[in-house]
Amino acid sequence: MASPDQKKLRTAVKKFSSNKKITLDDVLSFAKLALIACGKDTQSRENDAIDAIREEVARLQSHDLSKNHLPSAKEELDTAVRATEEAASHILACAETVMAVDANNAESYESSVNVAMLEILEACAFQDISGQHMSKVAETLNRIDRRITRFAKTSGVRDWKGEASDCEAHKNKRQKDLILNGPASNDDGLAQDDIDALLAG
Amino acid sequence: MAIDLATPVLVVDDYKTMIRIIRNLLKQLGFSEVDDAADGTQALEMMKRRKYGLVISDWNMEPMTGYELLKEVRGDDTLHRTPFIMVTAESKTENVIAAKKAGVNNYIVKPFNASTLKAKIDAVFGD
């Protein structure tokens, strides 16, 4: 007569043979049952390692990240981008208004410039709000970083050597082929004078 | 070759605010005919319909980048002489060298100011 563990193993094998969705937890359960079926002690090191990995996977709280933190971070970024665009557009409109005013009419010109300057000052308040939205995004990234770093350290997994996915492979190839480095950070890029020298050389 | 301020200029950028900034700067410099395109593909189509005396293009756009546009323009029998200035945040040495090899006339790194744009346009037209 089959033991409860053997029955569980058979059920797991059936699930793997079917087209049902297999989760990481299924794989870990299967590995644990297979070890038991092989006659290893349930308290063996391998078994403990599987339990530890299962716990670490749970500690990633991936559903919490994908349902709460990531959508929220995207919303924060979208709001910051929108606020920046609106401010830039408002400041440009002020500049365009001043550029269109007849400078020969001193009184009208002064009044228009004063109004525009005040509006530009007000529009610059976007930086404070955008900064706060960005801080929230940075906190989400730090949270993900902490969880993944802990997971990688505890599970001892090594990085996959190839591309993470076809989509990323395609994106990376495009970036490399078309030299899409994006804006430089800090002193990473050339200054205009260096570029001029390179072009002249 | 002196600058003809009536010459049509094509500004290519996927960021509307940047197009608006460059349009205003060009207007201040006296250019009266300024068109814009949101990427290289649209720019190329416009260049085949209208003769532009100057193209000012961003690098990082989709689907066709400014770098690809530059190479298309230089490889086209009709368009290959069009003056081309790259205005971009891509400021790595490899970008500048690639653009130079592809035949760019000048290269401006973002953020830039009005005097830089004027100086580079003047340099392209030999003023």
Side-chain angles (χ1 to χ4, degrees), chain A residues 25-47:
Chain A
D25 203 49
D26 291 333
V27 176
L28 292 171
S29 298
F30 180 79
K32 190 172 176 179
L33 289 166
L35 282 171
I36 296 166
C38 287
K40 298 221 175 187
D41 181 1
T42 51
Q43 297 304 311
S44 69
R45 246 174 26 182
E46 289 87 348
N47 220 337

Side-chain angles (χ1 to χ4, degrees), chain A residues 5-17 30:
Chain A
D5 284 336
Q6 284 171 327
K7 280 181 186 171
K8 280 183 195 170
L9 183 61
R10 278 183 198 153
T11 309
V13 170
K14 273 185 193 169
K15 189 171 184 183
F16 274 96
S17 311
F30 180 79

Side-chain angles (χ1 to χ4, degrees), chain B residues 11 23 34-35 66 69 86 126:
Chain B
V11 180
R23 266 184 174 278
V34 181
D35 288 343
L69 173 65
M86 198 72 82

